Amino acid sequence: MYESTICRPERDPVETLIGALAAADRYDILLLVVPVAFAVALVAASVSSVSHVQAMLVAAVVGATVVVDACYWNPPVDQDSS
């Protein structure tokens, strides 16, 4: 079975990705950094001589720093409260 689009032009996947990244704000990017840090740590631990525990510790520090930055150092500000 194949799905057919009805009156919908085909979008370029690269154009869709660029549109999604352009619509992302600071907090969306910070949420993306946490799993990427763990994925990079796993790959780095598998490829290099760094132990998995050390790599996960570095990823956890990066993730905690991102969360502290998003929640305490630069928290979201309600623009309508002024």
Side-chain angles (χ1 to χ4, degrees):
M1 292 172 83
Y2 294 102
E3 292 184 16
S4 62
T5 57
I6 300 173
C7 299
R8 180 182 271 173
E10 292 291 325
R11 291 189 66 185
D12 182 27
V14 175
E15 183 179 309
T16 305
L17 177 65
I18 291 172
L21 290 176
D25 64 350
R26 180 178 190 275
Y27 297 99
D28 294 328
I29 295 171
L30 288 177
L31 282 174
L32 181 66
V33 167
V34 176
V36 167
F38 280 95
V40 167
L42 280 174
V43 170
S46 298
V47 173
S48 68
S49 63
V50 176
S51 73
H52 281 66
V53 173
Q54 291 172 336
M56 290 296 109
L57 180 63
V58 171
V61 169
V62 169
T65 304
V66 166
V67 170
V68 168
D69 176 55
C71 293
Y72 300 107
W73 293 335
N74 298 309
V77 178
D78 187 15
Q79 298 295 330
D80 298 333
S81 65
S82 345

